[in-house]
Amino acid sequence: MKTMINKEIIFGYFAGTCSPLQKKLIAAWVKDEKNAELFYLWLWEWERKNVQYEFDVDQGIRRHQAWLEALENEEEPPAAQSTVTRLVWIRKTLAAGVVLLTLAAVGIATKDALRYRHYQTTYGKIEKITLPDGSQVTLNANSTLNVPRFGFGEKFREVFLRGEASFDVVHTRNGTRFFVRTEHAMDIEVLGTAFNVYTRPSGVKVVLQRGAVRLNYTRGNRLEQIKMKPGELASLGADGNVKVRFTRQAEQYSDWKYHRFVFEDLTFREIAGKLEEVFGTKIIIKDPELAGQLISGSFRALDAEELITLLREAQDFNYTKTEQELIITQP
């Protein structure tokens, strides 16, 4: 007979009263993504009902490790026989220790797995995401987006982006603000709009297609703000300065959604860097003069070699291919 996992069993697990067999069933059950989402919701509910207590985290993790060892040996661990009496409670504020213990028990390494729904794309892959408020996000290759699992839209809406994404943000009834957080000293505050955000180690670029956004960034010890207009492109440089210019083709900066690359007076070296970001293929340009040549145009490609082949039709060069590199040389 198949054993069903329900809220009562999961709540018992959070309280430390589950048997080793139940723990083993939960560990297998939570591997399913749908079950994991339910697990997080129940954990959130349980924490809200038990906010006045906190686990002794170190002792809880040690006890959990002992349980796992006993399960592997198919023995009944002594700790399980007196689980309730051996629990150490500390009267504090929020049960943060419970989160750590539970995440360790199901093989999840960090609390971020509880707090955020994590989206990640590999090289060459693009993913479309619908946020809880109905806003649409297209996540470019080699990018990550973290979206809060709980409280999204209650006071404000925020997401955390690393890489590149195109946003189409909807207006909500209560008018909650929408923020795109980056690892750089810049956040994008959305005022109802469609825009593209590029945030990689080289810097941040924001292109506004329609609506309005406000850039909040730090310059030295001061907080600066810039309100963008449709058609503008803002770039945050390594010096902390933001430059804004108008572009007549704002929509083309999101053409990567259709596997199209638009270059506007970029050097061959800069294009090589972009291809490495998206496809993970390192492109080595042997000749400095060739690397500095400016290239403009629109190209559709599904991988780095296909785009290099297209560029070769316009530029005179040769290339050789290794397992992870494309080496560009003069003809």
Side-chain angles (χ1 to χ4, degrees):
M1 179 175 149
K2 187 175 179 180
T3 302
M4 299 297 294
I5 301 297
N6 55 35
K7 185 190 291 189
E8 182 180 359
I9 292 174
I10 295 296
F11 274 24
Y13 174 73
F14 297 153
T17 59
C18 272
S19 69
L21 176 59
Q22 288 174 321
K23 286 175 60 64
K24 194 171 184 178
L25 291 173
I26 291 170
W29 175 82
V30 82
K31 289 180 181 179
D32 185 285
E33 184 177 352
K34 293 181 180 179
N35 294 338
E37 288 301 311
L38 189 57
F39 178 88
Y40 294 136
L41 290 173
W42 284 343
L43 175 56
W44 178 257
E45 181 181 342
W46 190 86
E47 282 189 336
R48 290 171 71 103
K49 292 179 179 179
N50 296 272
V51 294
Q52 70 271 31
Y53 295 113
E54 183 176 25
F55 270 121
D56 182 325
V57 181
D58 292 334
Q59 182 172 343
I61 292 177
R62 287 196 299 270
R63 182 173 59 252
H64 167 67
Q65 291 172 341
W67 282 342
L68 290 182
E69 291 174 3
L71 284 174
E72 291 176 358
N73 297 326
E74 297 184 353
E75 298 175 357
E76 181 70 14
Q81 299 172 4
S82 56
T83 301
V84 178
T85 58
R86 291 173 64 87
L87 286 176
V88 180
W89 298 92
I90 303 175
R91 186 174 295 275
K92 286 185 179 178
T93 53
L94 184 64
V98 178
V99 178
L100 291 176
L101 174 61
T102 306
L103 296 180
V106 296
I108 300 174
T110 170
K111 288 192 295 182
D112 283 350
L114 169 67
R115 296 172 59 196
Y116 302 103
R117 180 188 284 274
H118 181 73
Y119 300 93
Q120 183 172 13
T121 52
T122 56
Y123 288 120
K125 300 297 182 182
I126 295 172
E127 182 177 354
K128 293 184 178 181
I129 301 161
T130 300
L131 299 181
D133 64 346
S135 296
Q136 301 293 316
V137 182
T138 305
L139 193 62
N140 201 357
N142 185 30
S143 301
T144 61
L145 184 75
N146 288 337
V147 182
R149 294 180 184 275
F150 313 107
F152 184 89
E154 290 181 0
K155 295 183 178 178
F156 54 85
R157 299 169 287 170
E158 66 176 355
V159 297
F160 299 82
L161 175 67
R162 180 188 301 165
E164 186 171 17
S166 176
F167 292 83
D168 194 342
V169 177
V170 301
H171 181 75
T172 58
R173 287 185 178 180
N174 55 359
T176 52
R177 295 182 295 171
F178 191 106
F179 294 90
V180 179
R181 312 290 190 189
T182 75
E183 290 186 314
H184 299 269
M186 176 186 283
D187 291 334
I188 299 95
E189 181 180 350
V190 182
L191 309 174
T193 188
F195 60 102
N196 192 83
V197 180
Y198 171 98
T199 170
R200 297 194 188 272
S202 58
V204 181
K205 291 183 180 179
V206 180
V207 179
L208 180 61
Q209 296 164 2
R210 66 175 185 270
V213 300
R214 181 163 48 230
L215 307 181
N216 304 314
Y217 66 100
T218 56
R219 185 180 177 185
N221 295 324
R222 294 187 304 172
L223 175 64
E224 302 282 354
Q225 292 185 327
I226 293 177
K227 188 173 181 179
M228 294 180 63
K229 300 176 183 178
E232 289 185 332
L233 184 156
S235 301
L236 173 67
D239 58 0
N241 291 323
V242 175
K243 296 180 180 179
V244 180
R245 66 180 178 86
F246 182 77
T247 175
R248 295 183 180 277
Q249 299 175 325
E251 290 78 10
Q252 289 192 2
Y253 283 84
S254 297
D255 276 358
W256 53 261
K257 294 187 293 184
Y258 314 107
H259 303 283
R260 184 171 294 280
F261 296 82
V262 179
F263 305 131
E264 188 176 341
D265 287 334
L266 292 185
T267 65
F268 203 168
R269 184 185 297 107
E270 290 172 321
I271 291 174
K274 289 186 175 295
L275 295 184
E276 184 174 353
E277 289 174 346
V278 173
F279 297 114
T281 302
K282 189 171 184 62
I283 298 174
I284 300 173
I285 306 174
K286 294 288 189 179
D287 185 83
E289 183 179 349
L290 180 62
Q293 287 187 7
L294 294 177
I295 298 174
S296 296
S298 177
F299 309 87
R300 190 178 187 280
L302 298 178
D303 58 47
E305 185 177 6
E306 183 179 1
L307 199 145
I308 290 296
T309 301
L310 292 173
L311 289 177
R312 190 172 61 172
E313 296 178 1
Q315 304 288 120
D316 191 16
F317 62 83
N318 295 326
Y319 77 87
T320 56
K321 179 183 178 182
T322 65
E323 186 174 344
Q324 292 184 331
E325 294 180 342
L326 291 173
I327 302 173
I328 310 296
T329 58
Q330 287 282 15

